[in-house]
Amino acid sequence: MAFNDAITAASAKYPKPADRIFQYGTAGFRMRASLLDSVVYRVGLLAALRSRKLNGQIIGVMITASHNPPDDNGVKLVDPMGEMLESSWEAHATVLANATSDQALLEAYGKLTEELKIKPDAPARVIYARDTRASGPRLVSALVEALKATNTEYTDYKILTTPQLHYLTRCLNTKGTQYEYGEPTEQGYYEKTAKAFKAAIKGRTANGAVMVDCANGVGGPKLRELIRYLPSASEGGVEIKVVNDDVVQPERLNHQCGADFVKTGQRAPPSSQAAPLTRCASLDGDADRIVYYFIDSDSTFRLLDGDRIATLAALFIGDLARSAGLSEKLKIGVVQTAYANGASTDYITQHLKLPVVCTNTGVKHLHHAATKFDVGVYFEANGHGTVVFSESALKRLKKHEPQSPAQHTALETLRALTELINQTVGDALSDLLLVEVILAHKGWGPKEWDLTYTDLPNRLVRVEVVDRNIFKAVDAERRLESPIGVQSQIDALVGKYKNGRSFARASGTEEAMRVYAEAATRGEADDLASKVATIVKQSGA
């Protein structure tokens, strides 16, 4: 093969750690940054193969570890339409990452080229970006070595949010086609988002400012840049106060701030100075997740997580479809995971009268299920999600003839939402503006939003285990098939609690299990979570 010598020569600079087995999971590869050099190099090889297989379509590579601590990092691939890497290719990534030597890597690369019928002389094009972690530049160097060794055309987009790279990948691949998604530049992202926001919020007034905690990650500078394109509050926009946006000191990334801190700890960042009833939001480290929260008049913390954003979006889009005279022509549905609060599921099915589908955890599963609807709303409880409009829905919105001024207004707002929402992947910045548009239209503050339904008290617990792979989950990860007998113990416990529900699933990114529990009271939810965690710990010891 043409690239053999170059591949092995470059690979020698990035030897695989001997005692490690790597696995491409829901978030790509993610671990301590010091272990990642060989992995990133090999992901570069795979990105070249993927592009060649798709006749030179552009593949994205994002170097980020999202909400993980600053010393971690990760890498994942983005397919041409801005979606996650096709699942069948995850196994290929795992094979390359685990090749034990330079020669074994070359053989695995050659075997994949042959099996997948890839033409070595086909063009290969890759774009890449990274978040603000200190290890990013070093890992980019490993990626570039792989791209050079495989004669791949590449473009470095420097520091971006993960959703911005997904956006750029789709824009570049659709430019000049009927599916053109936007101007393929970072500025194009801001301009498209701002234009759609202005159209969507038109004539409405935001209820006070929103304070946004950027997890001291890449979302901070990118949100500040986006604000430059948005109308101010006095111009009919919204006042956005940016906090926790220190990217100069990498060790502050995700430290006692960010969406994961808020969701897991169910409390505001200690640095928060928000007054009662102030709308607050937290992004994660790479700005693909967002949760809202506020302190009520009794000084109680109230979380408005991904479930709340999904129900708010479904409520608003359903109302707009009815007002535009399209309710019979658009099938709207909501996709959730087992982590979704039971009260949110009841609200969607019983109050909004919309169908709910439950899938395995991981954006790729939710996104796939959402595409089955004309309008698919999906959010994980952790705040990662978006709204997907089918091609037929977009055509219907474009061609629909409103029969009254009210229908016209609703239709224009719906059309604006299709541009405001980043349909490629969950995007904290566009999701932030989506929520702000909806609250402005409804004249709601966080308290009114919170009152739409009452969450069942819940608790999420992380349990370290020796080998997460012994735990096999079924039924959209709501039940454990193995180890045998563990699920029956969980069932017996759950039966003792009013409104009790609990499940355990393996983490997609670390040797740990996630235990979720909900029940009628806070004390019971905590107790149930603790007891199920004990069962899991004993089973995984």
Side-chain angles (χ1 to χ4, degrees):
M1 188 188 293
F3 315 124
N4 286 9
D5 292 345
I7 288 172
T8 50
S11 177
K13 301 177 189 176
Y14 307 107
K16 176 188 175 292
D19 58 341
R20 292 282 170 168
I21 295 177
F22 302 115
Q23 189 174 345
Y24 195 102
T26 52
F29 293 110
R30 194 180 291 176
M31 65 202 78
R32 295 283 289 194
S34 57
L35 299 169
L36 262 173
D37 298 70
S38 69
V39 172
V40 172
Y41 174 74
R42 293 156 188 227
V43 165
L45 299 181
L46 190 73
L49 281 177
R50 181 74 179 147
S51 181
R52 285 199 164 91
K53 175 66 177 173
L54 299 176
N55 297 314
Q57 286 191 77
I58 291 166
I59 298 298
V61 181
M62 186 70 200
I63 295 176
T64 179
S66 188
H67 59 276
N68 281 37
D71 289 341
D72 287 2
N73 215 325
V75 60
K76 54 187 172 185
L77 292 172
V78 179
D79 259 358
M81 287 301 281
E83 72 274 53
M84 312 294 278
L85 175 68
E86 184 186 305
S87 55
S88 64
W89 278 64
E90 292 178 9
H92 306 328
T94 300
V95 165
L96 291 183
N98 289 303
T100 53
S101 66
D102 301 336
Q103 190 57 38
L105 173 62
L106 188 63
E107 287 169 10
Y109 183 86
K111 189 177 176 187
L112 275 180
T113 304
E114 198 174 309
E115 285 178 355
L116 296 168
K117 297 182 172 62
I118 294 168
K119 297 173 184 171
D121 56 347
R125 297 189 295 163
V126 169
I127 65 170
Y128 59 89
R130 62 184 176 87
D131 68 11
T132 55
R133 291 163 194 272
S135 57
R138 188 190 84 239
L139 296 174
V140 161
S141 297
L143 175 68
V144 170
E145 287 279 0
L147 301 178
K148 286 179 177 175
T150 53
N151 196 26
T152 299
E153 182 186 318
Y154 61 87
T155 306
D156 180 3
Y157 279 91
K158 311 294 184 189
I159 293 174
L160 291 178
T161 70
T162 294
Q164 286 177 327
L165 185 77
H166 283 256
Y167 165 87
L168 286 171
T169 305
R170 182 161 176 167
C171 288
L172 288 163
N173 282 304
T174 57
K175 190 166 178 61
T177 73
Q178 61 175 320
Y179 303 110
E180 194 161 308
Y181 193 64
E183 185 61 34
T185 61
E186 185 180 346
Q187 183 179 339
Y189 168 91
Y190 299 128
E191 288 174 344
K192 177 181 178 178
T193 305
K195 182 182 177 184
F197 174 74
K198 288 174 194 171
I201 203 168
K202 189 177 178 183
R204 306 290 174 153
T205 306
N207 185 2
V210 58
M211 186 173 288
V212 185
D213 151 33
C214 296
N216 293 319
V218 64
K222 302 310 181 186
L223 177 56
R224 286 196 182 278
E225 187 64 21
L226 174 59
I227 289 168
R228 293 180 54 223
Y229 293 80
L230 297 173
S232 65
S234 61
E235 296 168 331
V238 60
E239 183 184 358
I240 300 172
K241 294 180 178 177
V242 179
V243 297
N244 294 328
D245 63 334
D246 179 2
V247 294
V248 176
Q249 302 175 73
E251 68 276 8
R252 295 191 63 187
L253 174 68
N254 295 318
H255 180 64
Q256 294 201 314
C257 60
D260 197 58
F261 175 88
V262 171
K263 170 66 177 168
T264 305
Q266 305 214 5
R267 62 190 178 107
S271 58
S272 175
Q273 302 294 316
L277 301 181
T278 299
R279 283 194 316 291
C280 300
S282 283
L283 320 182
D284 68 341
D286 64 338
D288 65 358
R289 282 161 50 170
I290 184 170
V291 296
Y292 269 75
Y293 50 95
F294 69 103
I295 307 298
D296 70 16
S297 47
D298 297 327
S299 298
T300 304
F301 173 82
R302 307 290 298 172
L303 179 66
L304 298 157
D305 62 7
D307 295 341
R308 293 278 180 178
I309 298 171
T311 54
L312 185 71
L315 166 66
F316 187 55
I317 292 168
D319 285 349
L320 286 176
R322 275 188 294 279
S323 300
L326 282 165
S327 58
E328 300 302 313
K329 296 175 182 175
L330 291 177
K331 186 183 179 188
I332 302 168
V334 180
V335 185
Q336 296 184 318
T337 71
Y339 287 117
N341 195 281
S344 72
T345 310
D346 288 345
Y347 175 77
I348 296 162
T349 56
Q350 293 170 29
H351 182 77
L352 301 183
K353 307 294 185 190
L354 295 173
V356 172
V357 173
C358 187
T359 73
N360 284 3
T361 304
V363 178
K364 61 184 179 185
H365 301 297
L366 288 114
H367 192 95
H368 180 71
T371 59
K372 301 287 194 288
F373 295 103
D374 290 325
V375 184
V377 180
Y378 75 84
F379 275 84
E380 294 183 290
N382 65 22
H384 193 157
T386 190
V387 182
V388 181
F389 294 83
S390 70
E391 277 304 314
S392 63
L394 291 172
K395 283 176 185 170
R396 202 162 278 140
L397 288 173
K398 196 173 182 179
K399 292 179 178 177
H400 185 63
E401 295 284 347
Q403 303 301 305
S404 68
Q407 281 196 6
H408 176 77
T409 301
L411 183 63
E412 286 300 300
T413 305
L414 257 179
R415 287 171 176 163
L417 291 189
T418 68
E419 295 290 311
L420 174 62
I421 295 163
N422 186 344
Q423 294 181 54
T424 65
V425 73
D427 183 339
L429 302 188
S430 77
D431 289 341
L432 168 76
L433 297 181
L434 171 65
V435 170
E436 291 303 313
V437 163
I438 299 172
L439 294 180
H441 272 264
K442 292 203 153 293
W444 285 359
K447 187 177 178 183
E448 290 78 12
W449 179 12
D450 189 44
L451 287 172
T452 49
Y453 63 86
T454 304
D455 268 326
L456 286 166
N458 59 89
R459 180 63 69 199
L460 181 61
V461 179
R462 178 178 171 277
V463 182
E464 288 189 9
V465 292
V466 176
D467 181 9
R468 61 184 157 159
N469 294 313
I470 67 169
F471 294 90
K472 301 280 188 248
V474 293
D475 187 23
E477 300 179 314
R478 290 175 284 196
R479 299 183 65 77
L480 282 175
E481 187 176 58
S482 68
I484 291 168
V486 173
Q487 187 59 51
S488 57
Q489 292 180 64
I490 295 173
D491 290 343
L493 269 177
V494 168
K496 297 175 182 176
Y497 296 83
K498 185 182 177 186
N499 296 336
R501 183 171 76 92
S502 184
F503 66 90
R505 63 172 286 276
S507 165
T509 57
E510 56 185 340
E511 285 301 347
M513 295 291 291
R514 309 268 190 237
V515 171
Y516 176 88
E518 61 186 33
T521 67
R522 160 62 57 214
E524 287 179 307
D526 288 349
D527 192 48
L528 178 55
S530 175
K531 287 179 176 170
V532 172
T534 300
I535 291 171
V536 169
K537 193 164 187 67
Q538 289 169 348
S539 306

